[in-house]
Amino acid sequence: MLRPSAEVAQKIISVVKRKYKNVAESLACQFQYPTGKEGLQGGHYPEELIGLLPDDVTKWYCGVGNPLSLSKIVSGEKVLDLGCGAGIDAILAAKMVGSSGLSVGVDISEEMIKRAQSNKKISQTTNVLFQVVEVAALPFYDEQFDVVTTNAMLNLAVDKKRALKEAYRVLKKGGRLHVADQILVGSAMCSEQAMDCWFK
């Protein structure tokens, strides 16, 4: 995996943060795929799981798939959601692990973490935590989580190799990595103008 120059990396981070500052205010016209409850249903999240969340929370979903379906998440487990955005997957994971488990969501966008905190309060979910974190430098102990999940974060990560290395570091032995993402097929442009176009 090639890592962009420091200058390009900083531009990517700046564009991503600007994009998700806007997303934290409104999902309207931000994505070319279904979001909200329609996105959850399109991602084949079980209706009984979707039903655990108020409509004011489900409307903030903007993932590309259902990473929570890739293995059975059970009561008492600890789950880490990388690039948690508005916190929907992290909150759903908290519902799955129950009061004896824990879900943690991290994101580089302060605005998205604020939105996740609001969704935590609305959904009355107590066993989920959110914090602003760079995924390539996770502030967690080795082998701390049973499951690490991510929904459309890796395609935005500047240093994908380091992000994956960190994900595996914090996974317990025998733990599971759940990934839902999208890829670019064809030639890629690495200019600020091109990045602005990608995120419109």
Side-chain angles (χ1 to χ4, degrees):
M1 297 180 211
L2 296 176
R3 193 183 193 284
S5 67
E7 181 181 0
V8 171
Q10 196 52 51
K11 286 181 179 179
I12 292 172
I13 292 169
S14 176
V15 170
V16 170
K17 285 185 175 181
R18 185 169 71 244
K19 163 78 173 184
Y20 284 91
K21 180 178 181 180
N22 294 333
V23 170
E25 296 174 2
S26 172
L27 292 183
C29 302
Q30 296 283 2
F31 300 97
Q32 296 181 8
Y33 48 81
T35 58
K37 191 170 185 178
E38 183 184 358
L40 286 164
Q41 291 169 332
H44 304 291
Y45 286 76
E47 286 293 336
E48 60 269 24
L49 198 58
I50 298 173
L52 296 175
L53 302 178
D55 289 344
D56 282 346
V57 174
T58 58
K59 72 180 184 182
W60 291 103
Y61 175 79
C62 58
V64 299
N66 179 5
L68 302 180
S69 69
L70 297 177
S71 76
K72 187 175 182 180
I73 297 174
V74 299
S75 177
E77 289 193 311
K78 292 183 179 180
V79 179
L80 173 64
D81 184 14
L82 302 177
C84 67
I88 309 306
D89 281 328
I91 291 170
L92 288 175
K95 304 289 187 183
M96 297 167 84
V97 300
S99 59
S100 61
L102 177 68
S103 179
V104 179
V106 300
D107 202 283
I108 63 169
S109 168
E110 292 183 14
E111 291 81 10
M112 291 306 287
I113 289 297
K114 287 179 182 177
R115 177 60 63 191
Q117 294 281 15
S118 174
N119 286 334
K120 170 184 176 176
K121 184 176 180 179
I122 295 169
S123 65
Q124 299 180 0
T125 309
T126 58
N127 61 326
V128 63
L129 304 173
F130 294 106
Q131 61 189 105
V132 179
V133 167
E134 167 55 55
V135 296
L138 298 175
F140 306 116
Y141 297 118
D142 294 356
E143 301 182 22
Q144 190 169 345
F145 296 93
D146 299 285
V147 180
V148 173
T149 183
T150 172
N151 197 340
M153 179 282 295
L154 279 175
N155 76 92
L156 301 176
V158 172
D159 193 337
K160 294 170 176 51
K161 184 175 181 180
R162 189 171 172 189
L164 284 168
K165 186 175 180 180
E166 279 289 273
Y168 279 107
R169 178 183 66 78
V170 301
L171 266 177
K172 294 179 181 178
K173 290 181 180 178
R176 293 101 69 203
L177 177 64
H178 292 187
V179 177
D181 220 307
Q182 55 191 345
I183 60 172
L184 174 68
V185 177
S187 59
M189 298 174 288
C190 285
S191 69
E192 187 168 17
Q193 183 179 10
M195 287 186 288
D196 283 338
C197 289
W198 292 343
F199 288 107
K200 284 181 180 176

